[in-house]
Amino acid sequence: MRAFPIEDGSSLVHLHNLSGGVLGGDQLSLKVEIAPRAQAQLTATSATRLYRSRGEPVTATQLTEVRVAEGGRLEFLAEPLIPFAGSRFRQQTRIELGPGAGLFWWETVAPGREAKGELFEYELFQSQLDIFAGSNPLALERIRLEPHLRPLSSLARLGVYRYFSNFYICRVGLEAKSWQNLESELGAIAQELSRPGESLWGVSTLSAHGLIVRALCVKGREIPPGLLAFWKAAKLALYGQEARPPRKIY
């Protein structure tokens, strides 16, 4: 879709999958390049549905490469991933940030088609996310979920919670003290939003240039307003700008 201008000077771009979801055996790729001092928001019009294979089980794959050049900024505001019963999905994402580059990147994973009673009936969900500033790794995340082999209701995994979300906030070049201050500010929001047994939120600084917000929730509807609260606070602190939810088109 064509880009839509946003009041803060950035552009909004919608990602579309014309098949309505990710089919078994799909091999998808996405390459994003943000030019120097350019700013962009990326989102989708709806949740990403991960369908199971017909016949012999095969794994769908998604490869994403992102480069944000010097002084650029990317806000990747994804809708939830919904793994259907029997689905197999593997994604690999690499993000490279140049000097002064900024990043807001969140992802939420649902337990399945909850309204249909499908809870953790998928075969495989695997995710690899690498974020670099130059040659320095800021975050290396590895997730492999196989509910039929290792039940996610275990206290060592999700316990009573069904949805999980990760939100990376980065801006290359800020001193450590700035991130410590922002961690304290967002930590207060996390404490206010958390209700043990219903939702848990936490905030932690990365090795440098950023921090991560994590969430576990029983109900998926609690995640979007929480992410919005952190995004608004962080964008105001880092850029002095108001965060505006992306315009949706259907």
Side-chain angles (χ1 to χ4, degrees):
M1 298 293 293
R2 66 179 177 85
F4 293 89
I6 305 178
E7 292 179 0
D8 64 5
S10 59
S11 295
L12 168 63
V13 178
H14 292 84
L15 302 176
H16 287 257
N17 184 336
L18 299 181
S19 66
V22 179
L23 307 177
D26 277 356
Q27 296 181 13
L28 307 176
S29 63
L30 172 66
K31 187 173 183 180
V32 180
E33 293 191 14
I34 307 299
R37 292 169 294 284
Q39 302 172 13
Q41 262 188 24
L42 264 65
T43 189
T45 55
S46 64
T48 298
R49 298 162 182 83
L50 308 177
Y51 297 117
R52 66 179 176 182
S53 304
R54 289 188 173 183
E56 189 70 21
V58 290
T59 302
T61 61
Q62 167 83 52
L63 176 63
T64 302
E65 300 179 30
V66 177
R67 292 181 176 85
V68 185
E70 181 175 0
R73 185 177 73 212
L74 172 63
E75 297 172 292
F76 187 85
L77 313 172
E79 294 292 334
L81 290 166
I82 305 177
F84 281 36
S87 64
R88 299 180 59 85
F89 178 70
R90 180 182 295 114
Q91 65 178 5
Q92 182 176 343
T93 303
R94 182 182 175 91
I95 302 173
E96 299 179 2
L97 303 176
L103 177 72
F104 294 93
W105 182 284
W106 71 46
E107 182 175 74
T108 300
V109 180
R113 291 183 292 179
E114 190 173 13
K116 193 177 180 181
E118 285 184 8
L119 295 176
F120 306 119
E121 295 184 14
Y122 51 88
E123 295 291 335
L124 171 68
F125 176 84
Q126 186 171 345
S127 179
Q128 174 180 326
L129 173 64
D130 299 336
I131 303 177
F132 284 82
S135 60
N136 299 319
L138 305 184
L140 303 173
E141 182 176 276
R142 304 291 183 270
I143 298 173
R144 183 181 178 92
L145 303 178
E146 297 174 285
H148 293 290
L149 298 179
R150 289 172 285 275
L152 300 186
S153 59
S154 166
L155 292 178
R157 298 179 184 93
L158 297 183
V160 300
Y161 303 100
R162 297 177 176 180
Y163 295 76
F164 64 92
S165 186
N166 298 322
F167 183 16
Y168 285 94
I169 302 169
C170 302
R171 188 173 186 182
V172 178
L174 295 186
E175 59 182 16
K177 183 64 174 177
S178 298
W179 293 111
Q180 293 169 2
N181 293 338
L182 185 56
E183 180 184 23
S184 296
E185 180 181 349
L186 299 188
I189 298 175
Q191 186 174 5
E192 181 179 347
L193 292 175
S194 294
R195 296 184 303 279
E198 297 180 21
S199 62
L200 293 177
W201 294 82
V203 183
S204 179
T205 55
L206 302 177
S207 60
H209 307 303
L211 50 78
I212 181 174
V213 177
R214 294 192 188 272
L216 293 173
C217 293
V218 174
K219 298 179 180 179
R221 65 174 179 266
E222 297 185 357
I223 291 182
L227 292 174
L228 180 59
F230 288 105
W231 180 34
K232 284 185 173 182
K235 190 168 183 178
L236 184 62
L238 296 176
Y239 292 95
Q241 296 177 348
E242 181 180 355
R244 297 183 180 276
R247 169 189 175 189
K248 296 295 183 178
I249 57 174
Y250 300 95

